[in-house]
Amino acid sequence: MKLKQEIQALYEKYKNDRSGEVNKSIPALSQVNADSFAISVAMANGKVIEVGDINTTFTIQSISKPFIYGLALEQYGSDFVESKVGIEPTGEDFDTVIKLDDQGRPYNPMVNSGAIAVTSLVNADTKKSRDEEVLGCLSNYAGRKLRLHSPTFKSEKESGDKNYAIAHLLKHFQILGKNLKQDLELYFKQCSASVTSTDLAMMGATLANNGVNPVTKKECVSPENLRHILSIILTCGMYNYSGEWVFDIGLPAKSGVSGGILMVVPGLMAISVYSPRLDKRGNSIRGIKVCEELSKIYNLHILDTSSPKKASEIL
Ligand code: GLN
C-alpha cells in the first residue's frame, strides 16, 4: 500500500484503542481530550500526509529537548556542552531526582536534570530575550511561529516541585548558578510551546532533511550537530524504553508526556503521532504502535541488513 493509505489504515485500526492514561503530574495536561488522535508525516521534501485531529494543539513537552540541545551545541560547540552534560542513557525515569555520572554531570540531555542544565546554557543574542531565542529555535524547525501555551506554563510552575528539587540539586553541584529560577522557567516555557502533530512532523522533517526546513529552506542546525541530536534521541529519546525501542523499531525518536512522539527517518521523512493516553513510562501507547508498524511495513530499522547497500555504490 502507498504511504497515504497505510497511514489512513493505521488511523482506522487504532482509532478506538482507549488503553492508557493521560499525564496527571502536570494538572493542565490532565485536562486535554484523552481520545485525540492524529498522525502526520512530513517528507524531507516538505510534502505532508496527515490524518485525524490535525488541528488540535498540545504542548511539545520533552520533544523540545533535542532541539534546545541542538541550540546549545550551536552556541557552545559539542566539547563544551559535553563537559556539562553526558551522553549516556540512564535506564531510569526521566524525572529521577538526580543521578550524576562519575564526572559529576547529568547523564544525558534528554532526562530532566540534563535538559534543565542544557537550557541554562542558552544565551540570547543582543536583540532577543532568552525566551525568544528558545521559542524562535523551535519555530524555525516548525517553519512557523510557535506560541507559548500560558496555562500549561503556569501549571508546570505551580506543580513542578520535582523539577525545582532537581534544579536546586543542580545548583548544589554548581551546574546551575544564581539564575536558577529564570533557568527553570525557561525550561518550563520550552516544554509549553504549543504545536500540532503536523508542526512536529515538520520539525522532524527538518532533521531528516539535513537540518534544513524543507519549506522555508532555513538551515536550523549544522550537519555535525544534527548528527549529535539524532544520536542522542536514538539512545535516550524514549525514556527508559529507549533500548527496546531501538531493538524493535530502530529509528531516532523523541517522546513527550503530553502524548506526542516524533520519529525521524534520516534523509527520508518524519512521522509524528499525537495521542495523549500514555503507558507507565510516559510514552504514547497509540504512538508506539503506529511507529512500530510503520517501521516494520517499510523496513525502516536503520540496522536492517535485508536490503544492504551495494558495494558499487560506495567503492
Ligand atoms: N515538562 C515536563 C517535565 O519537566 C516534560 C516531561 C516530559 O515530557 N517527559 O516534567
Side-chain angles (χ1 to χ4, degrees):
M1 256 198 294
K2 285 273 196 309
L3 184 58
K4 194 170 179 351
Q5 281 96 44
E6 208 62 74
I7 299 290
Q8 185 69 43
L10 287 170
Y11 177 79
E12 298 299 334
K13 179 169 173 186
Y14 292 113
K15 200 169 61 178
N16 298 319
D17 185 335
R18 300 274 182 273
S19 44
E21 302 275 340
V22 299
N23 175 279
K24 300 227 162 47
S25 63
I26 302 170
L29 294 187
S30 62
Q31 282 156 27
V32 301
N33 176 358
D35 298 324
S36 294
F37 186 29
I39 310 174
S40 303
V41 178
M43 307 302 294
N45 66 7
K47 187 177 157 45
V48 168
I49 300 168
E50 48 189 6
V51 59
D53 299 313
I54 50 173
N55 297 318
T56 300
T57 55
F58 53 96
T59 52
I60 188 168
Q61 295 300 331
S62 282
I63 305 174
S64 62
K65 290 174 181 169
F67 298 98
I68 303 307
Y69 175 56
L71 178 59
L73 291 174
E74 293 282 303
Q75 292 189 342
Y76 293 93
S78 65
D79 286 348
F80 181 79
V81 177
E82 210 183 314
S83 74
K84 302 283 178 193
V85 179
I87 49 174
E88 290 297 334
T90 63
E92 305 216 7
D93 289 343
F94 63 86
D95 55 354
T96 296
V97 181
I98 71 173
K99 196 172 138 188
L100 300 180
D101 66 14
D102 56 7
Q103 294 177 56
R105 306 169 299 182
Y107 266 72
N108 69 65
M110 299 298 111
V111 289
N112 286 10
S113 55
I116 294 166
V118 162
T119 300
S120 78
L121 298 176
V122 169
N123 238 318
D125 76 31
T126 41
K127 289 194 211 69
K128 282 195 220 155
S129 66
R130 292 169 84 211
D131 294 5
E132 286 167 337
E133 191 73 40
V134 161
L135 272 179
C137 163
L138 300 173
S139 301
N140 284 340
Y141 281 97
R144 76 174 184 99
K145 197 166 167 32
L146 300 178
R147 296 186 188 285
L148 179 76
H149 187 251
S150 303
T152 304
F153 169 59
K154 202 164 161 265
S155 183
E156 292 218 36
K157 260 199 321 186
E158 286 166 4
S159 63
D161 292 324
K162 222 171 172 188
N163 283 325
Y164 280 99
I166 291 173
H168 279 283
L169 282 168
L170 288 171
K171 185 167 173 230
H172 169 79
F173 291 112
Q174 282 142 31
I175 296 164
L176 289 195
K178 58 178 176 359
N179 294 334
L180 178 148
K181 185 167 173 284
Q182 201 200 42
D183 291 336
L184 191 58
E185 288 190 2
L186 188 58
Y187 167 76
F188 290 146
K189 282 181 185 158
Q190 82 180 52
C191 292
S192 303
S194 184
V195 291
T196 64
S197 72
T198 303
D199 287 328
L200 277 187
M202 198 52 83
M203 293 174 82
T206 302
L207 298 177
N209 187 40
N210 216 21
V212 177
N213 180 292
V215 178
T216 65
K217 310 291 180 209
K218 172 137 186 106
E219 184 179 319
C220 298
V221 66
S222 70
E224 190 192 337
N225 290 334
L226 169 65
R227 202 183 63 227
H228 296 323
I229 293 175
L230 293 176
S231 303
I232 278 292
I233 61 174
L234 182 67
T235 54
C236 311
M238 298 298 291
Y239 311 136
N240 43 0
Y241 182 67
S242 298
E244 271 182 74
W245 174 276
V246 175
F247 201 87
D248 291 335
I249 299 174
L251 287 164
K254 186 73 198 87
S255 180
V257 284
S258 51
I261 292 187
L262 172 59
M263 173 167 96
V264 182
V265 189
L268 184 63
M269 63 181 169
I271 294 134
S272 152
V273 182
Y274 173 57
S275 173
R277 290 183 187 271
L278 310 176
D279 63 17
K280 286 198 182 65
R281 287 157 167 138
N283 289 317
S284 166
I285 291 184
R286 289 192 289 202
I288 289 185
K289 288 179 178 163
V290 168
C291 289
E292 181 161 13
E293 291 218 23
L294 281 172
S295 172
K296 299 236 153 86
I297 292 165
Y298 294 107
N299 273 333
L300 299 175
H301 196 301
I302 52 174
L303 302 177
D304 191 338
T305 55
S306 59
S307 51
K309 281 199 170 59
K310 290 192 187 70
S312 60
E313 284 174 20
I314 54 173
L315 286 175

Short mmCIF file of all heavy atoms in Angstrom, two decimals, residues 52-77:
data_model
loop_
_atom_site.label_atom_id
_atom_site.label_comp_id
_atom_site.label_asym_id
_atom_site.label_seq_id
_atom_site.Cartn_x
_atom_site.Cartn_y
_atom_site.Cartn_z
N GLY A 52 -6.68 12.58 11.02
CA GLY A 52 -7.17 12.68 12.40
C GLY A 52 -7.23 14.11 12.89
O GLY A 52 -7.48 15.04 12.09
N ASP A 53 -6.97 14.31 14.18
CA ASP A 53 -7.13 15.62 14.82
C ASP A 53 -5.92 16.51 14.54
O ASP A 53 -5.19 16.91 15.46
CB ASP A 53 -7.32 15.44 16.33
CG ASP A 53 -8.56 14.62 16.63
OD1 ASP A 53 -9.62 14.92 16.04
OD2 ASP A 53 -8.47 13.67 17.43
N ILE A 54 -5.76 16.83 13.27
CA ILE A 54 -4.53 17.52 12.87
C ILE A 54 -4.52 19.00 13.26
O ILE A 54 -3.47 19.64 13.22
CB ILE A 54 -4.29 17.39 11.35
CG1 ILE A 54 -5.56 17.77 10.61
CG2 ILE A 54 -3.84 15.97 10.99
CD1 ILE A 54 -5.40 17.84 9.14
N ASN A 55 -5.68 19.55 13.63
CA ASN A 55 -5.69 20.95 14.08
C ASN A 55 -5.64 21.09 15.59
O ASN A 55 -5.61 22.20 16.11
CB ASN A 55 -6.93 21.68 13.53
CG ASN A 55 -6.89 21.72 12.02
OD1 ASN A 55 -5.83 21.96 11.43
ND2 ASN A 55 -8.01 21.43 11.38
N THR A 56 -5.63 19.98 16.28
CA THR A 56 -5.57 20.04 17.74
C THR A 56 -4.16 20.44 18.17
O THR A 56 -3.17 19.86 17.72
CB THR A 56 -5.91 18.65 18.34
OG1 THR A 56 -7.23 18.32 17.93
CG2 THR A 56 -5.82 18.64 19.85
N THR A 57 -4.09 21.43 19.06
CA THR A 57 -2.77 21.83 19.58
C THR A 57 -2.53 21.19 20.94
O THR A 57 -3.47 20.89 21.68
CB THR A 57 -2.64 23.36 19.70
OG1 THR A 57 -3.71 23.84 20.49
CG2 THR A 57 -2.66 24.03 18.34
N PHE A 58 -1.28 20.97 21.23
CA PHE A 58 -0.88 20.39 22.51
C PHE A 58 0.52 20.94 22.81
O PHE A 58 1.16 21.52 21.92
CB PHE A 58 -0.88 18.85 22.45
CG PHE A 58 -0.09 18.26 21.32
CD1 PHE A 58 1.21 17.83 21.50
CD2 PHE A 58 -0.64 18.16 20.03
CE1 PHE A 58 1.96 17.31 20.46
CE2 PHE A 58 0.11 17.63 18.97
CZ PHE A 58 1.40 17.21 19.19
N THR A 59 1.00 20.75 24.05
CA THR A 59 2.32 21.30 24.35
C THR A 59 3.41 20.27 24.01
O THR A 59 3.23 19.07 24.20
CB THR A 59 2.44 21.77 25.81
OG1 THR A 59 2.03 20.72 26.68
CG2 THR A 59 1.58 23.00 26.04
N ILE A 60 4.51 20.78 23.54
CA ILE A 60 5.57 19.93 22.99
C ILE A 60 6.26 19.08 24.05
O ILE A 60 6.75 17.99 23.78
CB ILE A 60 6.58 20.81 22.21
CG1 ILE A 60 7.59 19.97 21.44
CG2 ILE A 60 7.30 21.78 23.14
CD1 ILE A 60 8.42 20.78 20.44
N GLN A 61 6.30 19.59 25.30
CA GLN A 61 6.95 18.90 26.42
C GLN A 61 8.36 18.45 26.05
O GLN A 61 9.11 19.19 25.47
CB GLN A 61 6.05 17.77 26.93
CG GLN A 61 4.74 18.29 27.53
CD GLN A 61 4.98 19.22 28.72
OE1 GLN A 61 5.96 19.10 29.42
NE2 GLN A 61 4.10 20.18 28.93
N SER A 62 8.70 17.20 26.39
CA SER A 62 10.10 16.78 26.25
C SER A 62 10.58 16.67 24.80
O SER A 62 11.78 16.50 24.57
CB SER A 62 10.31 15.43 26.91
OG SER A 62 10.40 15.61 28.30
N ILE A 63 9.65 16.77 23.85
CA ILE A 63 10.11 16.71 22.44
C ILE A 63 10.89 17.99 22.12
O ILE A 63 11.62 18.06 21.14
CB ILE A 63 8.93 16.45 21.48
CG1 ILE A 63 8.20 15.17 21.90
CG2 ILE A 63 9.41 16.33 20.03
CD1 ILE A 63 6.93 14.87 21.12
N SER A 64 10.79 19.00 22.98
CA SER A 64 11.62 20.21 22.80
C SER A 64 13.09 19.93 23.09
O SER A 64 13.98 20.65 22.61
CB SER A 64 11.12 21.34 23.72
OG SER A 64 11.24 20.94 25.09
N LYS A 65 13.36 18.91 23.92
CA LYS A 65 14.73 18.74 24.45
C LYS A 65 15.80 18.57 23.37
O LYS A 65 16.85 19.21 23.45
CB LYS A 65 14.76 17.58 25.45
CG LYS A 65 14.03 17.90 26.76
CD LYS A 65 13.95 16.69 27.68
CE LYS A 65 13.21 17.01 28.97
NZ LYS A 65 12.89 15.82 29.76
N PRO A 66 15.59 17.71 22.36
CA PRO A 66 16.67 17.58 21.36
C PRO A 66 16.93 18.87 20.59
O PRO A 66 18.08 19.16 20.21
CB PRO A 66 16.15 16.49 20.42
CG PRO A 66 14.73 16.22 20.78
CD PRO A 66 14.50 16.74 22.15
N PHE A 67 15.88 19.66 20.37
CA PHE A 67 16.05 20.89 19.59
C PHE A 67 16.83 21.94 20.40
O PHE A 67 17.70 22.63 19.86
CB PHE A 67 14.68 21.43 19.15
CG PHE A 67 13.94 20.45 18.26
CD1 PHE A 67 12.97 19.60 18.78
CD2 PHE A 67 14.27 20.34 16.92
CE1 PHE A 67 12.32 18.67 17.98
CE2 PHE A 67 13.62 19.42 16.10
CZ PHE A 67 12.65 18.58 16.63
N ILE A 68 16.53 22.03 21.71
CA ILE A 68 17.25 23.01 22.54
C ILE A 68 18.68 22.51 22.81
O ILE A 68 19.62 23.30 22.92
CB ILE A 68 16.46 23.30 23.84
CG1 ILE A 68 15.05 23.80 23.49
CG2 ILE A 68 17.19 24.34 24.70
CD1 ILE A 68 14.98 24.97 22.51
N TYR A 69 18.84 21.20 22.86
CA TYR A 69 20.20 20.64 22.93
C TYR A 69 20.98 21.08 21.68
O TYR A 69 22.14 21.53 21.78
CB TYR A 69 20.09 19.12 23.00
CG TYR A 69 21.39 18.36 22.95
CD1 TYR A 69 22.41 18.60 23.86
CD2 TYR A 69 21.59 17.36 21.98
CE1 TYR A 69 23.60 17.88 23.81
CE2 TYR A 69 22.77 16.63 21.94
CZ TYR A 69 23.77 16.90 22.85
OH TYR A 69 24.94 16.19 22.80
N GLY A 70 20.34 21.00 20.54
CA GLY A 70 20.98 21.45 19.28
C GLY A 70 21.34 22.93 19.35
O GLY A 70 22.40 23.34 18.87
N LEU A 71 20.46 23.72 19.96
CA LEU A 71 20.73 25.16 20.09
C LEU A 71 21.99 25.39 20.94
O LEU A 71 22.87 26.18 20.59
CB LEU A 71 19.51 25.85 20.71
CG LEU A 71 19.59 27.34 20.98
CD1 LEU A 71 19.86 28.13 19.70
CD2 LEU A 71 18.28 27.84 21.63
N ALA A 72 22.08 24.67 22.05
CA ALA A 72 23.27 24.80 22.91
C ALA A 72 24.52 24.34 22.16
O ALA A 72 25.59 24.97 22.27
CB ALA A 72 23.08 24.01 24.20
N LEU A 73 24.40 23.27 21.39
CA LEU A 73 25.56 22.80 20.60
C LEU A 73 26.00 23.87 19.61
O LEU A 73 27.19 24.11 19.42
CB LEU A 73 25.20 21.52 19.84
CG LEU A 73 24.97 20.25 20.66
CD1 LEU A 73 24.49 19.10 19.75
CD2 LEU A 73 26.25 19.82 21.38
N GLU A 74 25.02 24.52 18.98
CA GLU A 74 25.36 25.57 18.01
C GLU A 74 26.04 26.75 18.71
O GLU A 74 26.95 27.36 18.17
CB GLU A 74 24.08 26.09 17.30
CG GLU A 74 23.41 25.07 16.40
CD GLU A 74 24.09 24.89 15.06
OE1 GLU A 74 24.25 25.89 14.34
OE2 GLU A 74 24.46 23.75 14.73
N GLN A 75 25.58 27.05 19.93
CA GLN A 75 26.12 28.23 20.62
C GLN A 75 27.49 27.98 21.26
O GLN A 75 28.30 28.88 21.36
CB GLN A 75 25.13 28.71 21.70
CG GLN A 75 23.85 29.29 21.09
CD GLN A 75 22.96 29.95 22.15
OE1 GLN A 75 23.10 29.71 23.34
NE2 GLN A 75 22.03 30.77 21.69
N TYR A 76 27.71 26.75 21.71
CA TYR A 76 28.93 26.49 22.51
C TYR A 76 29.87 25.44 21.94
O TYR A 76 30.98 25.29 22.43
CB TYR A 76 28.53 26.04 23.92
CG TYR A 76 27.85 27.12 24.72
CD1 TYR A 76 26.47 27.22 24.72
CD2 TYR A 76 28.59 28.05 25.45
CE1 TYR A 76 25.84 28.22 25.44
CE2 TYR A 76 27.97 29.04 26.16
CZ TYR A 76 26.59 29.13 26.16
OH TYR A 76 25.97 30.11 26.86
N GLY A 77 29.39 24.65 20.96
CA GLY A 77 30.21 23.54 20.46
C GLY A 77 30.02 22.30 21.33
O GLY A 77 29.70 22.41 22.52
#
